[in-house]
Amino acid sequence: MTIREIDERMTALEEEKRQDGLTEARAHEMEQEYAALCRACDSVTAHDNVFLARHRRRPKIDDYINALFTDFFVQRGDLLSKEDQSIFGGIALFHGIPVTVLGHRKGKNINENMKYNFGMPEPEGYRKALRMMKQAEKFGRPIITFIDTPGAYPGLEAEEHGQSNAIARNLAEMSALKTPIFSIVTGEGSSGGALAIGVANKVYMLEHAVYSVLSPEGFASILWKDSTRAAEACDLMKLTAQDLYRFGVIDGIIPEPACGAHHNPAAVYKAIDRMLVREFNAMKRMSPTDIAKARYEKFRNIDRLARK
């Protein structure tokens, strides 16, 4: 069975389990089948991870905000041009601590996908993100970013409005912010569109997320002039959480339920919560200057951090 077929069968079993009138015999039979499907998910390929990272039912940024934070207050606009809805964020409380939380917003259906530009920000979105982060630094709030984008929007208008400049400025400014930054790749993180909110003290990935210089389809189109070879490209790109942890690009992997976070989002929320509490406590002992210096050195020396 392909990963798509396994996922569809698991979803069907989950839906059947919620129905009334399920006999004990059928429930036992379903549990056995579900366990077998879970075991099949243990051997997913890099291309399977891309499928899971892009899954339409995968939790989105508003799900993470609702599950992990309280008293969320949304912030809008870049104070220069317009409101880019593909970046979503604001101020919230995390276990009573004021934080700034933001990330890419894709939407959960085709109408929301169109409204939020499939999670591909324009320059205004990155300027909005930087505005929120600079405000967080001013008031000493930790910053938490959720990365899930196929990349920055490559349209003509975005380029005319300074797309590359907006991304470059975010990279430079984030490297020097004197407040802790934690980034989590929850789905797909592609190109500068992901890195523009990913220059963090600690970078984590969900187990089935992917993080790379561009999409597998784009890689295959450039290398072989054939986007249908995306599956082959996935193996060459080393874009999985396991690969990137081994190379020292990320600091840790957040476990997911078998075959994806969408099969048990609550477990993922708990794992992220535990990770953030642990990292918050570690950062408390550092001065603002040391926090900025540690982040800068982390990215300057990333090529030396590969884990053998």
Side-chain angles (χ1 to χ4, degrees), residues 33-260:
E33 183 179 356
Y34 197 89
L37 292 170
C38 289
R39 289 193 295 272
C41 290
D42 290 339
S43 58
V44 295
T45 65
H47 193 231
D48 291 335
N49 273 312
V50 173
F51 168 79
L52 294 173
R54 295 172 174 174
H55 200 286
R56 61 181 178 81
R57 291 177 53 218
R58 197 170 180 84
K60 305 297 190 292
I61 183 170
D62 46 346
D63 298 311
Y64 290 109
I65 288 175
N66 291 334
L68 295 167
F69 307 97
T70 60
D71 299 275
F72 177 70
F73 174 80
V74 65
Q75 294 180 288
R76 298 184 176 89
D78 66 346
L79 300 184
L80 291 174
S81 181
K82 67 178 183 179
E83 160 67 356
D84 184 348
Q85 296 190 77
S86 59
I87 291 285
F88 183 61
I91 303 168
L93 294 178
F94 178 72
H95 292 274
I97 302 171
V99 297
T100 288
V101 55
L102 61 101
H104 301 97
R105 180 163 58 171
K106 284 183 172 180
K108 299 182 179 182
N109 53 55
I110 188 59
N111 291 330
E112 289 187 355
N113 293 156
M114 296 292 289
K115 181 179 180 180
Y116 304 141
N117 205 28
F118 293 87
M120 295 186 293
E122 297 187 54
E124 293 81 4
Y126 292 118
R127 287 195 285 263
K128 176 174 71 172
L130 183 59
R131 177 176 76 83
M132 286 190 279
M133 290 188 281
K134 293 288 284 185
Q135 184 195 67
E137 179 188 43
K138 179 179 179 179
F139 292 99
R141 292 192 300 267
I143 299 165
I144 303 163
T145 72
F146 292 91
I147 297 171
D148 186 15
T149 180
Y153 184 61
L156 178 61
E157 182 177 325
E159 297 298 333
E160 289 176 340
H161 291 183
Q163 183 71 289
S164 59
N165 178 272
I167 292 173
R169 185 179 176 195
N170 276 31
L171 301 181
E173 296 272 7
M174 287 185 75
S175 68
L177 289 178
K178 294 182 178 180
T179 194
I181 306 176
F182 309 98
S183 291
I184 306 162
V185 183
T186 60
E188 58 180 332
S190 294
S191 192
L195 193 58
I197 62 168
V199 183
N201 292 86
K202 297 293 180 179
V203 180
Y204 281 77
M205 288 178 66
L206 294 193
E207 184 179 352
H208 295 303
V210 293
Y211 199 22
S212 61
V213 68
L214 78 171
S215 69
E217 294 82 4
F219 183 98
S221 295
I222 293 171
L223 190 62
W224 301 305
K225 311 300 183 201
D226 183 3
S227 63
T228 64
R229 296 176 68 178
E232 185 180 351
C234 289
D235 292 324
L236 293 176
M237 293 174 72
K238 305 301 181 185
L239 44 63
T240 68
Q242 296 74 23
D243 288 328
L244 295 170
Y245 180 72
R246 187 170 65 254
F247 297 147
V249 175
I250 64 172
D251 298 284
I253 301 171
I254 298 169
E256 294 187 41
C259 279

